[in-house]
Amino acid sequence: MASPTGTSDAPFGRMLTAMVTPFTSDGAVDYEGVQRIATYLVDEQRNDGLVVSGTTGESPTTTDEEKDRILRAVLEAVGDRATVIAGAGSNDTHHSVELARAAERAGAHALLVVTPYYNKPPQEGLYRHFTAVADAADLPVMLYDIPGRSGVPILTETLIRLGRHPRIVAVKDAKADLFAGSQVMAATDLVFYSGDDTLNLPWLSVGAAGLVSVVGHVAGAELASMIDRYRSGDVAGAVALHRQLLPVVTGIMTRTQGAIMSKAALKLVGQDGGSVRLPLVDATEEQVASLREDLIAGGLKLVDS
């Protein structure tokens, strides 16, 4: 499946957001809300790609049927003008394979496959897991290296091995090791995307193609401009935007959990991201008040400011 926004050096586009899943007050998926948020992210926040059913999409608490309907809703809304990447990872290889095949049937442009979490497999297990998922569907794969959640990093040697697979083409890095990522980029054709909003500009500086952001829910246009400035040689302008957005990154990524604060931030800018599902809980009044100050300090326009 060809990506509508990809290029050889950025196969999934450059500005991507790991999209929230809106839920109604009674805990059901709001599929109209899914399409509304997807459209807003592409048309107003300059996203040329979206990741659905990732961490920020609360994928551990959605059923396979819900994941399929969410993916199809996003594809219907924006699939002709944005790369739609389906989260297909779990800590069960067989289940991940089934998710990959279902995503291909639904029309996904690519797969995001996270490191198996909780069971802490050895590197050979990681290699076989990712290979099995990549073999299961004729879709390009972005690996998601996030040891803070999975408990296990994908080591440099393993990434180099995986980079030989014809369908494993990219890495979303949330390992915060720019040197290790540089080694992998130097040794393979794997394309890196920043998966850590605190390091977006540093990752661009060592060769990352773009971002898979959470902050992009409300600052995607600014992040896209930062990418444009950096790539055009206006490093000072990119640094200025990086610094401008520091309060926004602080508010969304460090005060509590990213999906919680993304939905609170969306509400502050006039978008309905819905509620979260247990075991997550919605932001408190105090957290929202702090977040409001963070967004204003970052130069974002709120609905009542």
Side-chain angles (χ1 to χ4, degrees):
M1 175 66 66
S3 160
T5 58
T7 60
S8 59
D9 63 336
F12 307 129
R14 298 197 184 277
M15 178 60 223
L16 295 83
T17 290
M19 186 180 135
V20 298
T21 300
F23 298 110
T24 63
S25 58
D26 62 357
V29 176
D30 177 4
Y31 294 103
E32 290 185 2
V34 167
Q35 293 194 314
R36 185 172 58 249
I37 293 297
T39 301
Y40 156 78
L41 290 173
V42 172
D43 292 349
E44 298 185 40
Q45 290 296 339
R46 290 191 58 194
N47 283 270
D48 49 12
L50 297 175
V51 173
V52 300
S53 293
T55 305
T56 311
E58 299 178 64
S59 61
T61 62
T62 56
T63 67
D64 290 358
E65 180 183 358
E66 288 172 330
K67 288 178 175 65
D68 186 71
R69 289 188 63 188
I70 291 164
L71 174 58
R72 291 175 186 272
V74 173
L75 285 164
E76 181 180 5
V78 300
D80 60 340
R81 59 190 188 279
T83 304
V84 180
I85 304 174
S90 76
N91 64 347
D92 172 3
T93 303
H94 176 75
H95 187 205
S96 296
V97 164
E98 292 303 312
L99 289 172
R101 290 171 176 162
E104 182 178 32
R105 289 193 296 270
H109 302 136
L111 303 173
L112 179 76
V113 186
V114 70
T115 309
Y117 40 84
Y118 184 74
N119 37 20
K120 289 190 174 183
Q123 293 297 306
E124 182 63 25
L126 296 185
Y127 175 78
R128 295 187 192 186
H129 172 85
F130 289 126
T131 300
V133 180
D135 286 343
D138 189 18
L139 292 174
V141 171
M142 177 188 287
L143 305 177
Y144 187 11
D145 190 4
I146 183 165
R149 289 185 181 275
S150 67
V152 177
I154 314 174
L155 296 182
T156 299
E157 296 78 7
T158 306
L159 285 167
I160 290 172
R161 288 179 71 195
L162 289 164
R164 301 185 186 114
H165 194 289
R167 284 194 288 278
I168 297 176
V169 301
V171 179
K172 176 186 175 185
D173 189 285
K175 190 162 56 184
D177 189 337
L178 276 74
F179 183 72
S182 297
Q183 289 178 305
V184 175
M185 283 186 270
T188 72
D189 292 327
L190 287 171
V191 177
F192 270 62
Y193 286 81
S194 172
D196 181 349
D197 277 301
T198 67
L199 294 175
N200 284 335
L201 184 57
W203 269 115
L204 293 177
S205 76
V206 297
L211 322 176
V212 180
S213 174
V214 176
V215 172
H217 282 97
V218 294
E222 290 80 2
L223 288 170
S225 294
M226 184 185 76
I227 296 169
D228 291 343
R229 291 185 186 186
Y230 184 81
R231 288 180 51 78
S232 70
D234 180 12
V235 176
V239 170
L241 275 171
H242 165 74
R243 291 176 177 171
Q244 173 190 320
L245 293 174
L246 290 175
V248 183
V249 175
T250 298
I252 293 178
M253 301 306 298
T254 70
R255 296 200 184 278
T256 181
Q257 199 266 1
I260 293 171
M261 296 309 272
S262 293
K263 290 185 174 183
L266 283 167
K267 183 174 291 187
L268 289 172
V269 301
Q271 299 294 323
D272 183 7
S275 298
V276 294
R277 270 183 177 173
L278 285 171
L280 300 185
V281 293
D282 291 329
T284 65
E285 290 184 6
E286 292 79 10
Q287 289 168 339
V288 172
S290 296
L291 179 62
R292 177 187 299 276
E293 295 177 2
D294 294 328
L295 300 188
I296 292 171
L300 302 189
K301 182 174 177 56
L302 309 189
V303 288
D304 59 352
S305 64

